[in-house]
Amino acid sequence: MKHLIINQNDSARIKRLVADSNNRKKYQTKEIYNLLQEIDKGKCFAPENVPPQVVTMNSIVRIRYMDTGRTVDIQIVYPDQADIKKNKLSIFAPIATALLGYQKGDTIEWEVPKGTITLLIEEILYQPEQAGDFHL
């Protein structure tokens, strides 16, 4: 089994968000559970040691929906920064949860409200760790 790579700061921030009882009420429990499972199965690295091809928080990622061939660029953000019109997806959204910790070239099958989808990570257009933006 391939290990996901998780920025240790991302892991700590996400777990703090989940621990907040207001977020537990606001977001679907299943999505929070799936996110925590993904983080727990990952290997945590210090931000400066995260490889540049890994999807982390605030990364901008080009994904391909394998069933339609459609590509879209999305940014994975914390809930307060989410803006669907700007393709900024909350980490609590199923697609964002699916991508966290995977790498360029990976194909992921994930359950979303409409069923199972298959995504290909085509490109990492921006990754904070690669850019030296460790504060994000």
Side-chain angles (χ1 to χ4, degrees):
M1 176 179 177
K2 183 176 184 170
H3 285 285
L4 301 179
I5 296 173
I6 307 292
N7 175 326
Q8 66 189 18
N9 293 345
D10 292 347
S11 174
R13 288 178 189 138
I14 291 167
K15 287 179 179 180
R16 276 195 304 271
L17 276 173
V18 169
D20 179 354
S21 63
N22 290 331
N23 285 331
R24 284 191 180 272
K25 293 175 188 170
K26 192 185 305 185
Y27 302 104
Q28 294 180 12
T29 305
K30 180 181 177 187
E31 296 310 324
I32 289 174
Y33 174 77
N34 289 341
L35 177 59
L36 291 177
Q37 272 196 311
E38 288 294 285
I39 290 171
D40 287 344
K41 74 179 179 183
K43 289 185 117 177
C44 283
F45 284 78
E48 59 274 5
N49 295 328
V50 174
Q53 68 274 16
V54 173
V55 178
T56 62
M57 288 301 301
N58 295 296
S59 291
I60 300 173
V61 182
R62 178 166 295 141
I63 58 172
R64 177 178 300 277
Y65 291 86
M66 299 305 287
D67 61 336
T68 64
R70 185 178 77 122
T71 61
V72 63
D73 296 346
I74 63 165
Q75 184 171 20
I76 300 172
V77 298
Y78 292 100
D80 62 329
Q81 300 165 328
D83 185 342
I84 197 68
K85 292 178 183 174
K86 295 181 181 177
N87 288 340
K88 292 183 175 190
L89 295 183
S90 166
I91 187 57
F92 293 142
I95 291 174
T97 296
L99 296 172
L100 188 69
Y102 283 92
Q103 300 182 37
K104 176 182 172 181
D106 285 347
T107 301
I108 306 154
E109 284 190 14
W110 198 257
E111 193 71 31
V112 297
K114 292 184 180 181
T116 301
I117 60 170
T118 304
L119 304 170
L120 169 67
I121 301 173
E122 284 196 344
E123 193 69 42
I124 310 253
L125 303 170
Y126 168 76
Q127 186 213 56
E129 295 80 0
Q130 175 67 19
D133 295 333
F134 299 116
H135 64 284
L136 296 178

